[in-house]
Amino acid sequence: MDLFRQRITELRKQINEANYSYYVLDNPTISDAEYDRLMRELQNLEESNPELKTSDSPTQRVGANPLTEFGTITHRVPLLSLDNAMSKAELTEFIKRVQKALPEKNVEFVAEPKIDGLAVELVYENGLFVKGSTRGDGITGEEITQNLKTIRSIPLRLNDDKIPAPALLEVRGEVYMDRRDFEKLNEQQLSASKPAFANPRNSAAGSLRQLDSRITARRPLNIWCYSLGACKGIAFDSHYEFLEILPKWGFRVNPLIQLCKSTDELLEYYRHIEEIRDSISYDIDGVVFKVNSIIQQEELGIKSRSPRWAIAGKFKAQQEITQILEIEASVGRTGAITPVAHLAPVNVGGVVVSNATLHNQDEIDRKDIRLGDWVVIQRAGDVIPQVVKVITERRDGTEQKYQIPDECPFCGCHVIRPEGEAKHRCQNINCPAQLKGSIQHFVSKRAINIDGLGDKLIEQMVDSGLIKNVADLYFLKAEQIAALERMAKKSAQNVIDAIENSRRTTLARLIHALGIRNVGEHIGKLLERHFGNLDKLISASFDELNNIEGVGPIVAQSIIDFFNEQKNRQTIDRLIEGGVAIQTTKVADFGQLPLAGKTFVFTGTLTKFTRDEAKEMVEKLGGKASSSVSKNTDYVVIGENAGSKADKAKNLAVVILTESDFLKLIES
Ligand code: IVH
């Protein structure tokens, strides 16, 4: 038990340090794989020793059972709001006012970016994170402790190596989402037919206010800490001193924060931050100036809801009004169609905007966006501008509703909206708009695997008209490739050789390579196992597909749609004509294969084969490879330095094999 306790303490320390380096210092010290390994080891140890679980363990960040509602919390010290200054002149006025109220005193200010997120409060008792809440109306907020625990940059226990943890500490900050993460999340929302969030702020708010914290745990939230609430057992002379101590305890403090000693410095800060606004990865909507000295803050005092010692300097709006002149269906690399509004060009916060994404048909219908409409548009840094809403009052009756066309504007092939999806899609894999993407996928390692055919070369081949569909690859001549820019005889021959090597392939690889919607590597293998040859797959009915274990109606329909498209059938014929030969596999019932029903786990550093190869060997023989050891595991194969999984296998009396044992088993 003591050994377990010791290992658990060690793992928590390592994981906390890794979190701190990654999320607070922005300087990763270990790889993602190593992090996952440590985390899994800790999870396993805590699972088998539940009495050693604690509320500050990093495993607590995955979320807890859903709540039916949030509780309310009364803040010990109200969370104030800030007065706004809309211009340099108003900011100058504020600075003068402060200096006048503190005559003959040297007043320093702390200048900070104003983060466009959600204010929260984190309460620590004797160093332990005990409660977290939203700002609410400033007096009372909602208790969202479990949700806040999922944010990895929030310490669950203060690091007291340098500064002892005070008896009570309330830290306030802004929870936000990076723009890129917001865009990714929106793509996921849209492809799951869920409404997109309007901006990173809304998506941070929506993510934080989930009753099911396991959902919050999957959202990429982060925090910048910037102010103090109640506190016992420590006192600060200045705000800046407080901000300098925060990271020592483990909190994340914005690196753009600056101590300023004069009006000029403050105004220069405002100008500079507005200038770099778009190049930072998260949304800010202004700057905040705070009097640095705590004594001076107290002297200045507060008005009803906002302090006299601080102000927000707001930036110009990033929203404007303009008219939609045209709506175009643009086709992406995977055939997904995105309607794009062409706008009367308008300057939004210093950048001329002439296009905005309309996402998909549902978004158009929900917002009732019509051709000719006057709309409010919004941009935030590098996020593609969006239509916020239609100004219906400005309609004159000439506006036209918009519907994504049934035919692809590029190739004229069918456009369909697959069941359960938000996006319409062009069904033709040779559509010029999606050709490069589909070739990249086709040649990739886990698909048909043509080594050395990189993105640049594919681009040149498509742009020069050398290949118009994936099958053309198999008719290429070395001279044609050598004639391309930066290619020579030898490198061209290497490509030809790689293409030659890819001719002998498996049905599973070919299916995966074709890029059928919703059909990846795994389904490819299932289909190979079931049909054994391509003709049977092509002529399969919906019911037959739908009845295959692991294939559902959405996948079945995607396969039917794909083979219904004449051009896709022609491509397959030409691939075969070009020499692509499928090694036939015996159609075998799952149950007849030698490893049917057996589950393998590979752990440690494998030296005789890669993990992928091992997986492929097991699956070929009807078995399954899994990543965690449980009572359902049949064999654990251990490489070098195998850790907790090997121990767990011993505890569960699972058969343990060395790599050589495994190879012998496979061969037999
Ligand atoms: S200080 C009395 N600092 O702005 C000081 N607030 O309008 C109160 N905010 O509710 C807050 N970045 O959500 C402070 N660096 C920053 C901030 C910041 C964003 C938000 C916060 C607050 C609102 C006040």
Side-chain angles (χ1 to χ4, degrees):
M1 184 59 102
D2 271 355
L3 259 182
F4 284 144
R5 193 188 301 273
Q6 210 180 333
R7 180 66 185 149
I8 285 178
T9 310
E10 200 175 283
L11 284 166
R12 287 181 187 159
K13 187 159 179 280
Q14 271 179 294
I15 294 170
N16 285 335
E17 279 171 6
N19 267 340
Y20 182 73
S21 307
Y22 188 94
Y23 292 99
V24 181
L25 303 180
D26 199 12
N27 179 25
T29 46
I30 63 173
S31 69
D32 288 357
E34 176 69 2
Y35 182 91
D36 291 345
R37 196 187 66 73
L38 295 175
M39 195 67 164
R40 269 196 305 268
E41 186 183 345
L42 179 59
Q43 271 163 345
N44 287 340
L45 280 175
E46 287 185 359
E47 232 162 76
S48 37
N49 301 279
E51 64 286 357
L52 298 181
K53 269 191 196 171
T54 57
S55 69
D56 63 344
S57 170
T59 55
Q60 299 301 301
R61 295 194 187 274
V62 293
N65 287 337
L67 305 171
T68 43
E69 59 177 358
F70 294 118
T72 44
I73 271 194
T74 304
H75 303 296
R76 285 189 180 86
V77 176
L79 278 85
L80 300 175
S81 56
L82 293 167
D83 283 353
N84 289 329
M86 306 309 287
S87 62
K88 274 195 174 181
E90 287 182 22
L91 281 174
T92 314
E93 227 171 82
F94 162 78
I95 301 163
K96 275 198 188 138
R97 211 165 44 233
V98 168
Q99 276 164 345
K100 207 169 148 201
L102 298 168
E104 287 156 42
K105 291 221 173 91
N106 177 24
V107 188
E108 282 182 349
F109 292 85
V110 177
E112 307 180 3
K114 187 166 188 294
I115 315 298
D116 197 7
L118 236 94
V120 299
E121 176 166 79
L122 314 168
V123 183
Y124 292 81
E125 286 174 7
N126 299 313
L128 185 69
F129 176 54
V130 289
K131 254 186 186 46
S133 55
T134 60
R135 175 179 187 276
D137 61 6
I139 310 290
T140 56
E142 284 175 322
E143 204 225 292
I144 50 163
T145 314
Q146 283 306 335
N147 297 21
L148 288 167
K149 274 189 169 182
T150 68
I151 301 177
R152 302 233 173 131
S153 46
I154 292 181
L156 300 181
R157 178 177 286 282
L158 301 184
N159 179 351
D160 55 7
D161 289 354
K162 294 201 182 82
I163 314 275
L168 173 72
L169 178 76
E170 292 180 351
V171 172
R172 282 122 185 230
E174 201 86 351
V175 170
Y176 70 96
M177 194 178 285
D178 253 4
R179 269 187 227 121
R180 272 188 202 295
D181 291 327
F182 152 76
E183 282 175 77
K184 256 193 249 158
L185 177 64
N186 256 359
E187 276 168 29
Q188 287 166 12
Q189 288 283 113
L190 290 171
S191 63
S193 288
K194 293 188 185 147
F197 293 106
N199 52 48
R201 205 198 93 84
N202 284 7
S203 90
S207 302
L208 203 52
R209 295 196 65 264
Q210 293 286 337
L211 288 166
D212 185 348
S213 52
R214 290 167 303 191
I215 299 177
T216 312
R218 292 197 293 268
R219 302 282 172 85
L221 295 172
N222 215 332
I223 191 169
W224 292 120
C225 296
Y226 53 63
S227 115
L228 178 67
C231 132
K232 272 188 209 137
I234 193 166
F236 305 94
D237 289 335
S238 72
H239 178 55
Y240 200 71
E241 181 196 346
F242 164 69
L243 293 178
E244 279 185 323
I245 290 182
L246 280 182
K248 297 188 176 132
W249 278 324
F251 295 99
R252 202 158 170 261
V253 174
N254 193 290
L256 296 168
I257 295 179
Q258 208 173 295
L259 195 60
C260 293
K261 299 198 168 138
S262 67
T263 311
D264 284 353
E265 263 182 73
L266 286 165
L267 295 182
E268 171 53 22
Y269 182 86
Y270 175 64
R271 192 202 60 74
H272 173 65
I273 299 292
E274 182 159 30
E275 183 181 80
I276 63 166
R277 178 182 191 182
D278 286 346
S279 64
I280 47 190
S281 64
Y282 45 89
D283 280 358
I284 56 175
D285 56 351
V287 295
V288 184
F289 294 163
K290 301 172 183 172
V291 168
N292 187 28
S293 151
I294 304 293
I295 292 184
Q296 290 179 0
Q297 285 186 2
E298 282 164 3
E299 248 176 85
L300 288 161
I302 55 171
K303 296 189 284 187
S304 61
R305 281 296 181 86
S306 56
R308 285 204 188 82
W309 46 264
I311 197 150
K314 301 283 268 202
F315 294 149
K316 280 182 220 87
Q318 301 273 86
Q319 287 192 346
E320 277 304 331
I321 292 170
T322 186
Q323 194 178 18
I324 298 181
L325 305 177
E326 191 79 60
I327 299 179
E328 185 195 17
S330 98
V331 186
R333 287 191 343 170
T334 56
I337 295 189
T338 303
V340 175
H342 295 301
L343 309 165
V346 59
N347 188 316
V348 191
V351 171
V352 177
V353 171
S354 46
N355 293 317
T357 175
L358 302 178
H359 296 296
N360 57 40
Q361 190 67 48
D362 284 350
E363 281 286 295
I364 294 179
D365 297 344
R366 195 170 10 242
K367 292 179 179 159
D368 189 21
I369 298 167
R370 302 182 192 179
L371 192 59
D373 262 339
W374 284 88
V375 289
V376 177
I377 60 154
Q378 163 175 292
R379 64 171 273 273
D382 50 6
V383 174
I384 307 164
Q386 300 178 335
V387 171
V388 181
K389 62 169 190 178
V390 174
I391 307 176
T392 43
E393 297 79 14
R394 286 186 75 162
R395 280 191 179 153
D396 63 9
T398 59
E399 296 76 16
Q400 292 159 23
K401 290 205 176 214
Y402 177 83
Q403 185 69 41
I404 292 175
D406 295 337
E407 284 176 3
C408 173
F410 286 86
C411 67
C413 272
H414 296 133
V415 164
I416 62 164
R417 179 177 171 176
E419 181 112 4
E421 286 189 30
K423 290 262 187 197
H424 286 66
R425 288 183 186 274
C426 166
Q427 291 299 297
N428 172 13
I429 52 165
N430 301 320
C431 172
Q434 46 172 316
L435 185 57
K436 288 175 194 168
S438 56
I439 294 174
Q440 279 164 4
H441 171 77
F442 185 86
V443 305
S444 64
K445 209 174 176 58
R446 306 181 75 104
I448 218 79
N449 188 18
I450 303 181
D451 204 19
L453 195 52
D455 293 357
K456 273 263 161 323
L457 193 54
I458 292 174
E459 203 161 323
Q460 287 187 62
M461 287 178 171
V462 172
D463 291 345
S464 63
L466 214 51
I467 41 181
K468 296 198 177 57
N469 77 46
V470 291
D472 290 342
L473 287 168
Y474 293 94
F475 295 88
L476 284 174
K477 305 253 175 316
E479 309 85 77
Q480 291 175 306
I481 302 175
L484 295 170
E485 224 178 285
R486 280 197 302 273
M487 289 305 282
K489 221 169 152 189
K490 171 109 182 35
S491 45
Q493 190 54 47
N494 288 344
V495 175
I496 291 288
D497 292 346
I499 292 174
E500 171 58 29
N501 284 338
S502 75
R503 282 194 166 94
R504 267 177 76 77
T505 190
T506 64
L507 181 58
R509 276 183 180 276
L510 181 64
I511 296 169
H512 175 44
L514 288 172
I516 304 170
R517 279 294 299 155
N518 303 310
V519 175
E521 203 180 350
H522 174 67
I523 304 271
K525 286 177 184 161
L526 292 183
L527 297 172
E528 174 181 88
R529 227 173 249 164
H530 184 90
F531 292 103
N533 77 48
L534 193 56
D535 288 339
K536 284 198 186 132
L537 169 65
I538 293 176
S539 53
S541 69
F542 175 87
D543 286 342
E544 181 171 12
L545 289 163
N546 192 25
N547 280 334
I548 300 171
E549 174 134 8
V551 176
I554 292 177
V555 171
Q557 193 55 50
S558 298
I559 297 168
I560 299 279
D561 290 341
F562 182 86
F563 291 117
N564 272 346
E565 192 65 55
Q566 204 51 38
K567 291 210 170 134
N568 295 341
R569 302 274 283 271
Q570 284 164 4
T571 302
I572 290 166
D573 290 345
R574 246 173 79 72
L575 280 168
I576 291 165
E577 192 190 322
V580 173
I582 292 165
Q583 295 165 287
T584 43
T585 43
K586 228 172 75 213
V587 184
D589 183 357
F590 234 169
Q592 291 166 355
L593 288 167
L595 296 183
K598 300 282 182 230
T599 301
F600 286 73
V601 173
F602 294 87
T603 182
T605 315
L606 302 174
T607 54
K608 297 191 160 56
F609 37 79
T610 67
R611 223 158 267 248
D612 279 345
E613 283 163 355
K615 196 170 162 215
E616 204 165 327
M617 287 188 258
V618 168
E619 285 175 354
K620 259 203 182 126
L621 297 173
K624 214 176 91 187
S626 158
S627 56
S628 59
V629 180
S630 74
K631 60 180 190 327
N632 298 325
T633 311
D634 295 288
Y635 300 98
V636 171
V637 181
I638 52 166
E640 279 169 16
N641 304 321
S644 63
K645 286 184 196 170
D647 298 340
K648 191 158 182 201
K650 273 180 214 149
N651 288 341
L652 293 170
V654 172
V655 179
I656 296 179
L657 302 175
T658 62
E659 289 178 75
S660 320
D661 296 339
F662 169 72
L663 289 175
K664 274 185 217 143
L665 177 80
I666 292 281
E667 278 156 19
S668 73

